[in-house]
Coordinates of all heavy atoms in Angstrom, one line a residue:
M4 N 109.4 53.7 -9.7 CA 108.9 55.0 -10.0 C 110.0 55.7 -10.9 O 111.2 55.7 -10.6 CB 108.7 55.8 -8.7 CG 108.0 57.1 -8.9 SD 107.1 57.7 -7.5 CE 108.1 57.4 -6.1
L6 N 112.3 58.4 -12.8 CA 113.0 59.6 -12.4 C 112.9 60.6 -13.6 O 113.4 60.2 -14.7 CB 114.4 59.3 -12.1 CG 115.3 60.5 -11.7 CD1 114.9 61.1 -10.4 CD2 116.8 60.1 -11.7
L21 N 111.7 62.4 -8.8 CA 111.0 61.1 -8.8 C 109.5 61.4 -8.8 O 109.0 62.0 -7.8 CB 111.4 60.3 -7.6 CG 112.7 59.5 -7.7 CD1 113.1 58.9 -6.4 CD2 112.5 58.4 -8.8
V44 N 114.2 58.9 -17.2 CA 115.0 57.7 -17.1 C 114.5 56.9 -15.9 O 113.8 57.5 -15.1 CB 116.5 58.0 -16.9 CG1 117.1 58.7 -18.1 CG2 116.7 58.9 -15.6
F45 N 114.8 55.7 -15.9 CA 114.4 54.9 -14.7 C 115.4 55.2 -13.6 O 116.6 55.4 -13.8 CB 114.3 53.4 -15.0 CG 113.1 53.1 -15.7 CD1 113.2 52.7 -17.1 CD2 111.9 53.1 -15.1 CE1 112.0 52.4 -17.8 CE2 110.7 52.8 -15.8 CZ 110.8 52.4 -17.2
A46 N 114.8 55.3 -12.4 CA 115.7 55.6 -11.2 C 116.7 54.6 -11.0 O 116.5 53.4 -11.1 CB 114.8 55.7 -10.0
R47 N 117.9 55.0 -10.8 CA 119.0 54.1 -10.6 C 119.3 54.0 -9.1 O 119.1 54.9 -8.3 CB 120.3 54.6 -11.3 CG 120.1 54.5 -12.8 CD 121.2 55.4 -13.4 NE 121.0 56.7 -12.9 CZ 120.9 57.8 -13.7 NH1 120.9 57.6 -15.0 NH2 120.8 59.0 -13.2
V48 N 119.8 52.8 -8.7 CA 120.2 52.7 -7.3 C 121.5 53.4 -7.1 O 122.5 53.1 -7.8 CB 120.3 51.2 -7.0 CG1 120.8 51.0 -5.6 CG2 119.0 50.4 -7.3
G49 N 121.5 54.3 -6.2 CA 122.7 55.0 -6.0 C 122.9 56.1 -7.0 O 122.9 55.9 -8.2
K50 N 122.8 57.3 -6.5 CA 122.8 58.4 -7.5 C 124.2 58.7 -8.0 O 125.1 58.9 -7.3 CB 122.3 59.7 -6.8 CG 121.8 60.7 -7.7 CD 120.8 61.7 -7.0 CE 120.6 63.0 -7.8 NZ 120.3 62.7 -9.2
G51 N 124.3 58.6 -9.3 CA 125.6 58.7 -10.0 C 125.9 60.0 -10.7 O 126.6 60.0 -11.7
G52 N 125.2 61.1 -10.3 CA 125.5 62.3 -10.9 C 124.9 62.5 -12.3 O 123.7 62.2 -12.5
E54 N 125.4 61.0 -15.1 CA 125.5 59.9 -16.1 C 124.2 59.6 -16.8 O 123.1 59.9 -16.2 CB 126.0 58.6 -15.4 CG 125.0 58.0 -14.5 CD 125.6 56.8 -13.8 OE1 125.6 55.7 -14.3 OE2 126.0 57.0 -12.6
P56 N 121.6 57.0 -19.0 CA 121.2 55.6 -19.1 C 121.9 55.0 -20.3 O 122.2 55.6 -21.3 CB 119.7 55.6 -19.3 CG 119.4 57.0 -19.8 CD 120.4 57.9 -19.2

Side-chain angles (χ1 to χ4, degrees):
M4 191 152 42
L6 177 69
L21 275 172
V44 296
F45 283 109
R47 290 162 304 234
V48 178
K50 198 159 165 49
E54 71 186 279

